Amino acid sequence: MKVGIIGSGGREHAICHTLNNTKKITQIYCFPGNAGTAKIAENVPINLENFNDLKDFIILKKIDLIIVGPEKPLVDGIVDFLEAYNIKVFGPNKLASQLEGSKIFTKNICKKYNIPTAKFGIFEDIDDATKFIIKTKYPLVVKADGLASGKGVYICENHEEAKLAIKEIFEGKFGKSKNLLIEEFLNGEEMSYFIISDGKTVKKFDTAQDHKRVLENDKGKNTGGMGAYSPSRLINDELDKKIITKIIEPTIKGLKEIGTNYKGFLYVGLMIVDNEPYLIEYNVRMGDPECQTILPKLKSNLVDIFLSCCNEKLDEIEIEWHDKKSLCVVLCSKGYPDEFKKNVLIKNLDKVNFDENEYCYHAGTTKTKDQIYSTGGRVLNFVCTSESFSDARKKVVDSIKSLDWDGGFYRKDIGYKVIDE
Ligand code: AMP
Ligand code: GLY
């Protein structure tokens, strides 16, 4: 069978690599992919804003299954569009994708079903929001409503910072904003919890902990993710049960009541406070770099899982995992998440010796005349599975050192809470 993957990051390379191990799959297309996917798939440089071109290509090449990696096409309704042409596609529809597309949509579901989350207010007017922040406690969180590539969240330490955040959001820094959210700051530890669903059955898809801040010890600016480890150190049976009954089940019920269901991966971003889960956000996709971290532990066949979701038969399959620890470190372009140089040559990648349990997933890379160049902020993901997190991290760091790329930097302390404390 032929499979198409939409996206160009480490998450999509990891999905592509995992699917490539299946005999059933004869051809993979990546829209548009990166230098890593180019080794195993055909990269198709297509404008993802134009679903018609994509649909024509899928029909022309007789692609049997499409997997959507990033949130933007999902929120823009790619699943509804392709399904109207009888194309099999793995991912949530446009309405269900509002769980990520609108933070206010999700907060309203939380309110209606009593889902534990930070206390919040929705403000439609700059004056009302500015008045509200005079009498509140700090830190305080101010959030833009729509998609903002992870940038529309301000953790404000004082009134001045909150005032600036409100001004920037209403002035359109993250696109036109009719409203914003002001939220209580939750003090705990974050965890990424994943489920997969076919619209009827929900199954767990492992846990991870992501390091979002750019500097060691979780300091500095927020990024897309500098590294992750799986499983999360926080997960236990009691917490697992609470997440399912207090957060996931009522959310699925809420979607049902507005006439839809959830098909695809759902990323449940949680703050754990004293073994109690609070929902911070939903993402309607796998996490990046959590996907790269989790997939090497998957024992079951990934394409069978995707197909069972598209055919509403997830209840018929078992999702099995290797009992291993996995750790991922992201090698980034110097300067990220601010300005960074593009098209910097990456030499030596083919000279790095990777063990059997090591993986190198590309993100912002491109291949020109047999040479690999960086094109994005996050460039390469080094992953290792092992009996211990510390061994996995040591191997990953050794591989990054042997690459010796002077255009990049990385955090050497990924997993420090589970390794060093
Ligand atoms: P979000 O895009 O909503 O996931 O927010 C980005 C990051 O901001 C999260 O990963 C958290 O680190 C932080 N954050 C968001 N909301 C809160 C909150 N209510 N309390 C504490 N930290 C938060
Ligand atoms: N690692 C965070 C995200 O995928 O949004």
PDB file of all heavy atoms in Angstrom, residues 1 18-27 301 303:
ATOM      1  N   MET A   1       0.822  -1.200   0.000  1.00  0.00           N
ATOM      2  CA  MET A   1       0.000   0.000   0.000  1.00  0.00           C
ATOM      3  C   MET A   1       0.862   1.258   0.000  1.00  0.00           C
ATOM      4  O   MET A   1       2.029   1.230   0.371  1.00  0.00           O
ATOM      5  CB  MET A   1      -0.973  -0.007   1.193  1.00  0.00           C
ATOM      6  CG  MET A   1      -0.343   0.163   2.569  1.00  0.00           C
ATOM      7  SD  MET A   1      -1.588   0.096   3.894  1.00  0.00           S
ATOM      8  CE  MET A   1      -2.242   1.748   3.821  1.00  0.00           C
ATOM      9  N   THR A  18       9.210   4.722  11.033  1.00  0.00           N
ATOM     10  CA  THR A  18       8.515   3.600  11.679  1.00  0.00           C
ATOM     11  C   THR A  18       7.649   2.859  10.655  1.00  0.00           C
ATOM     12  O   THR A  18       7.614   1.623  10.641  1.00  0.00           O
ATOM     13  CB  THR A  18       7.656   4.116  12.863  1.00  0.00           C
ATOM     14  OG1 THR A  18       8.499   4.938  13.675  1.00  0.00           O
ATOM     15  CG2 THR A  18       7.106   2.989  13.711  1.00  0.00           C
ATOM     16  N   LEU A  19       6.978   3.600   9.781  1.00  0.00           N
ATOM     17  CA  LEU A  19       6.143   2.950   8.759  1.00  0.00           C
ATOM     18  C   LEU A  19       6.991   2.200   7.743  1.00  0.00           C
ATOM     19  O   LEU A  19       6.576   1.176   7.204  1.00  0.00           O
ATOM     20  CB  LEU A  19       5.294   3.994   8.020  1.00  0.00           C
ATOM     21  CG  LEU A  19       4.185   4.662   8.829  1.00  0.00           C
ATOM     22  CD1 LEU A  19       3.503   5.730   7.988  1.00  0.00           C
ATOM     23  CD2 LEU A  19       3.152   3.640   9.307  1.00  0.00           C
ATOM     24  N   ASN A  20       8.182   2.705   7.513  1.00  0.00           N
ATOM     25  CA  ASN A  20       9.060   2.101   6.503  1.00  0.00           C
ATOM     26  C   ASN A  20       9.508   0.687   6.888  1.00  0.00           C
ATOM     27  O   ASN A  20       9.960  -0.074   6.045  1.00  0.00           O
ATOM     28  CB  ASN A  20      10.273   3.010   6.274  1.00  0.00           C
ATOM     29  CG  ASN A  20      11.023   2.640   5.021  1.00  0.00           C
ATOM     30  OD1 ASN A  20      10.413   2.415   3.982  1.00  0.00           O
ATOM     31  ND2 ASN A  20      12.338   2.550   5.113  1.00  0.00           N
ATOM     32  N   ASN A  21       9.359   0.347   8.180  1.00  0.00           N
ATOM     33  CA  ASN A  21       9.728  -1.005   8.623  1.00  0.00           C
ATOM     34  C   ASN A  21       8.646  -2.036   8.326  1.00  0.00           C
ATOM     35  O   ASN A  21       8.769  -3.186   8.711  1.00  0.00           O
ATOM     36  CB  ASN A  21       9.993  -0.996  10.137  1.00  0.00           C
ATOM     37  CG  ASN A  21      11.218  -0.175  10.460  1.00  0.00           C
ATOM     38  OD1 ASN A  21      12.136  -0.084   9.659  1.00  0.00           O
ATOM     39  ND2 ASN A  21      11.222   0.455  11.625  1.00  0.00           N
ATOM     40  N   THR A  22       7.570  -1.605   7.704  1.00  0.00           N
ATOM     41  CA  THR A  22       6.447  -2.499   7.443  1.00  0.00           C
ATOM     42  C   THR A  22       6.470  -2.967   5.988  1.00  0.00           C
ATOM     43  O   THR A  22       6.445  -2.129   5.085  1.00  0.00           O
ATOM     44  CB  THR A  22       5.124  -1.718   7.653  1.00  0.00           C
ATOM     45  OG1 THR A  22       5.195  -1.064   8.888  1.00  0.00           O
ATOM     46  CG2 THR A  22       3.922  -2.621   7.610  1.00  0.00           C
ATOM     47  N   LYS A  23       6.451  -4.247   5.782  1.00  0.00           N
ATOM     48  CA  LYS A  23       6.504  -4.790   4.405  1.00  0.00           C
ATOM     49  C   LYS A  23       5.301  -4.372   3.568  1.00  0.00           C
ATOM     50  O   LYS A  23       5.390  -4.179   2.365  1.00  0.00           O
ATOM     51  CB  LYS A  23       6.570  -6.319   4.457  1.00  0.00           C
ATOM     52  CG  LYS A  23       7.932  -6.833   4.832  1.00  0.00           C
ATOM     53  CD  LYS A  23       8.130  -8.269   4.325  1.00  0.00           C
ATOM     54  CE  LYS A  23       9.405  -8.866   4.862  1.00  0.00           C
ATOM     55  NZ  LYS A  23       9.291  -9.230   6.299  1.00  0.00           N
ATOM     56  N   LYS A  24       4.156  -4.275   4.261  1.00  0.00           N
ATOM     57  CA  LYS A  24       2.901  -3.907   3.616  1.00  0.00           C
ATOM     58  C   LYS A  24       2.995  -2.589   2.830  1.00  0.00           C
ATOM     59  O   LYS A  24       2.270  -2.369   1.881  1.00  0.00           O
ATOM     60  CB  LYS A  24       1.931  -3.697   4.782  1.00  0.00           C
ATOM     61  CG  LYS A  24       0.522  -3.901   4.516  1.00  0.00           C
ATOM     62  CD  LYS A  24      -0.313  -3.638   5.757  1.00  0.00           C
ATOM     63  CE  LYS A  24      -0.485  -4.841   6.667  1.00  0.00           C
ATOM     64  NZ  LYS A  24      -1.399  -4.607   7.769  1.00  0.00           N
ATOM     65  N   ILE A  25       3.891  -1.709   3.262  1.00  0.00           N
ATOM     66  CA  ILE A  25       3.969  -0.389   2.624  1.00  0.00           C
ATOM     67  C   ILE A  25       5.002  -0.410   1.502  1.00  0.00           C
ATOM     68  O   ILE A  25       6.169  -0.733   1.714  1.00  0.00           O
ATOM     69  CB  ILE A  25       4.283   0.697   3.676  1.00  0.00           C
ATOM     70  CG1 ILE A  25       3.099   0.784   4.639  1.00  0.00           C
ATOM     71  CG2 ILE A  25       4.545   2.051   3.019  1.00  0.00           C
ATOM     72  CD1 ILE A  25       3.252   1.766   5.736  1.00  0.00           C
ATOM     73  N   THR A  26       4.542  -0.058   0.301  1.00  0.00           N
ATOM     74  CA  THR A  26       5.433  -0.124  -0.864  1.00  0.00           C
ATOM     75  C   THR A  26       5.993   1.249  -1.214  1.00  0.00           C
ATOM     76  O   THR A  26       7.040   1.353  -1.848  1.00  0.00           O
ATOM     77  CB  THR A  26       4.672  -0.677  -2.085  1.00  0.00           C
ATOM     78  OG1 THR A  26       3.463   0.077  -2.228  1.00  0.00           O
ATOM     79  CG2 THR A  26       4.345  -2.144  -1.906  1.00  0.00           C
ATOM     80  N   GLN A  27       5.302   2.292  -0.820  1.00  0.00           N
ATOM     81  CA  GLN A  27       5.769   3.633  -1.178  1.00  0.00           C
ATOM     82  C   GLN A  27       5.263   4.650  -0.148  1.00  0.00           C
ATOM     83  O   GLN A  27       4.106   4.585   0.270  1.00  0.00           O
ATOM     84  CB  GLN A  27       5.225   3.985  -2.576  1.00  0.00           C
ATOM     85  CG  GLN A  27       5.454   5.420  -3.023  1.00  0.00           C
ATOM     86  CD  GLN A  27       6.887   5.677  -3.467  1.00  0.00           C
ATOM     87  OE1 GLN A  27       7.420   4.958  -4.293  1.00  0.00           O
ATOM     88  NE2 GLN A  27       7.525   6.708  -2.908  1.00  0.00           N
ATOM     89  N   ASN A 301       2.504  -2.771  15.114  1.00  0.00           N
ATOM     90  CA  ASN A 301       2.703  -2.214  13.781  1.00  0.00           C
ATOM     91  C   ASN A 301       1.933  -0.884  13.645  1.00  0.00           C
ATOM     92  O   ASN A 301       0.710  -0.845  13.772  1.00  0.00           O
ATOM     93  CB  ASN A 301       2.178  -3.255  12.788  1.00  0.00           C
ATOM     94  CG  ASN A 301       2.522  -2.892  11.387  1.00  0.00           C
ATOM     95  OD1 ASN A 301       2.463  -1.730  11.015  1.00  0.00           O
ATOM     96  ND2 ASN A 301       2.887  -3.878  10.609  1.00  0.00           N
ATOM     97  N   VAL A 303       1.207   1.069  11.096  1.00  0.00           N
ATOM     98  CA  VAL A 303       0.211   1.255  10.026  1.00  0.00           C
ATOM     99  C   VAL A 303      -1.094   0.529  10.375  1.00  0.00           C
ATOM    100  O   VAL A 303      -2.183   1.023  10.068  1.00  0.00           O
ATOM    101  CB  VAL A 303       0.760   0.859   8.632  1.00  0.00           C
ATOM    102  CG1 VAL A 303       0.822  -0.636   8.421  1.00  0.00           C
ATOM    103  CG2 VAL A 303      -0.110   1.489   7.543  1.00  0.00           C
TER     104      VAL A 303
END
